[in-house]
Amino acid sequence: MAAGLVGLLVGPVAPLHGLGGAKDLPIPAALAITGGTAALIVSFCVLVLAWRRPRYADAAAGPHAGHPLPRHLADLLDSAGWAWGLRILGLLFAGWFTWALVAGPDRVTNPVFGVFYVLLWVGIVPASLLFGRIFRALSPLRTINLLFARATGGDPARGLAAYPEWLGLWPATIGLFAFVWQELVNPEQAYIGPMRIWLAGYAAVMLIGSAVFGDTWLSRADPFEAYSDLLAKLSPWARRADGALVWRSPLANLATTKPRPGLVAMVAVLFGSTAFDSYKDSVRWVRFVDDLGGNVELINTLALLGFCAVIGFSFTLATMTTGVDPARGPRRAALPNLLAHSVVPIIVGYMTAHYLSYFVEYGQTTLVQLSDPMVTGQNLLGTANWTVDYWLSYHPGFLADVKVIAVVVGHIVGVVAAHDRALELLPKRHQVVGQLGLLVIMVAYTASGLYLLFGA
Amino acid sequence: METRRLFVAALVGAVAIAVAGCGGSGGAAKAEAGDELTATPSATASPAADAKVIAVTITADSVAPSGAKVEVKRNQPIVLEINAVAAGEIHVHSTPEKHIEFPAGQSTVTLKIDQPGVVDVEDHLLDKLIVQLEVT
């Protein structure tokens, strides 16, 4: 099954001059696939028997709305001073980064690469899971929009026009695809010129868009903000319907994800690109590209798009293979978006499995490099003499266990979220059978995901 | 005032893109941090008994082996016996990276990798994967 699914996806990629040296060892066990899929099926059976009522149907206001934070803490976190502190922190860091980006040399030891590909792209996952919607709190572009609005006497939330709601998260999805393309396909990903151009384009689109549509644009179009907001739904932090800051079960929080247009495409890009990343370095893949000849960049782009499309279409199809009751529940076509939040824990599982050692080890390297943004041997932040701890790489067995557990737990949490939503949406007689399509696709994802982690 | 903000935003955006474009992809030779090694023209010295010997052939447009998987132990000597039509450079994507300069003709280099992981060994000029070392 796994090999078959993967076989369909085979596309080609050339050896990249990737960042960060050695990659993790493949995981040496077919046991993981069997165990992982079995765990998924068993949890589904347990859920069907024991979880018969939707618990999180009204998570923003109902009994699972969460516990309010202590007064003083809530007041502090809601204060203007706190918000400005984070904004200034974001601006300072962005300034430091921009200095290295504009004036620093085109060397892989320039910290910009580690900041962009590791601290930002990978670090956004643990940061958002721990602290909630962290990127929007720090986002230098959100702050700049705010400052522009203040300077011109306007309201940062308002632009020339209202944001068209039918666009939903599509702009952010395109932005995320642009990022993963830059990271995984662009053969010059580790050169500073293409990165400058990518980031300048990003800044221009965000600033102009937020002047036109107000800062709603940033929520829907900034790939990092939209991604961080989505991940924050798995954090314990939330706002109750009445606006109070609360902490609540991450599962209840996840159920409050708004099913905007483009949500399925967004999770498909996040999930599909990670799968593509796992496969593109395999020997089989590299040889395939080499034998094929042709324009490597184009083939890679199509393959990346193909991975995302397969995830998006299979998920859409699987969630729609159920009976519905249009008189009381949602239309069939609305189902994929209403269930898309269940892919978020799966994305977190794969991000963990795929990037854990890279994040820990290259992340440390980046902190060291940040002291020397001009790569002249300076120690401006006092981190230049730190040494990188490669403990994880020297314990490949432990690393492999963590990876398998992350993927399996991600899938199980996803199944729980989907099951709870299915109970809420589907008519009684379709509640079990209606979920089978989704279960099949989840098992297929787990099996092929673990297969990819084996080093294919 | 919204129009004024748009004007300011557009101006800043345009300047950012212009700066990025001009300072842009000069494509200066990118020096990577790493260990520099040089393959020496083959002498008669035979490799250590526990060494993993890999014969590498590099022509003007191809490498052999091409993307083979090779298992080695940590710190096991890896001997690359290079036969190349022209001088060039092999990149070993370990942590840290190793760069091996080799001359035209027969040459040999010995390296060791301490850290477990999957390490790509590529011809730099052709940008082709020669072997993938699985260091356990």
Side-chain angles (χ1 to χ4, degrees), chain A residues 14-18 20-26 102 106-109 113 145 148-149 151-160 188 190-194 196-197 200-201 203-204 207-208 210-215 281-283 286-287 290 361 390 393-396 454-456, chain B residues 1-33 63 66-69 74 91-97 113-120 122-124 127-129 131-136:
Chain A
L16 273 183
H17 274 144
K23 301 180 288 269
D24 293 345
L25 285 164
V102 174
D106 193 4
R107 308 263 297 263
V108 274
T109 40
F113 299 106
N145 177 56
F148 281 177
T152 55
D155 174 357
R158 284 192 44 209
L160 294 168
E188 302 205 324
Y191 290 80
I192 206 163
R196 283 185 189 136
I197 291 169
L207 288 177
I208 295 171
S210 54
V212 174
F213 296 119
D215 57 15
D281 289 324
S282 69
V283 164
V286 170
R287 290 175 82 153
D290 202 40
E361 291 170 1
Y390 288 105
S393 278
Y394 282 102
H395 294 81
F454 287 1
Chain B
M1 27 190 196
E2 265 76 31
T3 331
R4 232 186 313 164
R5 184 156 116 237
L6 176 60
F7 179 73
V8 175
L11 194 70
V12 171
V15 168
I17 291 177
V19 168
C22 296
S25 33
K30 188 179 60 159
E32 298 178 28
V63 294
S66 169
K69 234 177 212 181
R74 287 177 54 194
H91 281 190
V92 180
H93 291 273
S94 52
T95 312
E97 304 215 327
I113 297 171
D114 168 55
Q115 188 173 318
V118 171
V119 173
D120 287 347
E122 296 176 344
D123 181 86
H124 182 53
D127 201 14
K128 282 189 197 291
L129 181 67
V131 290
Q132 201 171 60
L133 300 170
E134 236 177 77
V135 187
T136 53

Side-chain angles (χ1 to χ4, degrees), chain A residues 384-428:
Chain A
N385 301 323
W386 291 6
T387 51
V388 177
D389 187 340
Y390 288 105
W391 188 90
L392 265 182
S393 278
Y394 282 102
H395 294 81
F398 172 79
L399 186 57
D401 290 346
V402 172
K403 290 165 108 167
V404 174
I405 290 170
V407 168
V408 173
V409 169
H411 276 287
I412 290 176
V413 175
V415 164
V416 173
H419 175 73
D420 191 71
R421 183 55 55 85
L423 293 180
E424 181 191 339
L425 298 178
L426 301 184
K428 263 229 146 38

Side-chain angles (χ1 to χ4, degrees), chain A residues 181-192:
Chain A
W181 185 88
Q182 164 74 11
E183 186 201 13
L184 305 174
V185 175
N186 190 348
E188 302 205 324
Q189 51 113 257
Y191 290 80
I192 206 163

Side-chain angles (χ1 to χ4, degrees), chain B residues 68 73 81 84 86 92 130:
Chain B
K73 294 262 170 281
E81 294 182 350
V92 180
I130 302 167

Side-chain angles (χ1 to χ4, degrees), chain B residues 47 51-57 64-65 68-72 77-83 90 107-109 111 121 130-133:
Chain B
K52 176 71 90 179
V53 180
I54 304 169
V56 178
T57 310
K69 234 177 212 181
V70 177
E71 291 183 14
V72 293
I78 302 160
V79 178
L80 299 182
E81 294 182 350
I82 304 164
N83 183 3
I90 286 175
S107 60
T108 310
V109 66
L111 57 135
V121 178
I130 302 167
V131 290
Q132 201 171 60
L133 300 170

Side-chain angles (χ1 to χ4, degrees), chain A residues 65 80 117 144 213 243 257 282 315 400:
Chain A
Y117 295 117
I144 291 171
F213 296 119
T257 308
S282 69
F315 184 81

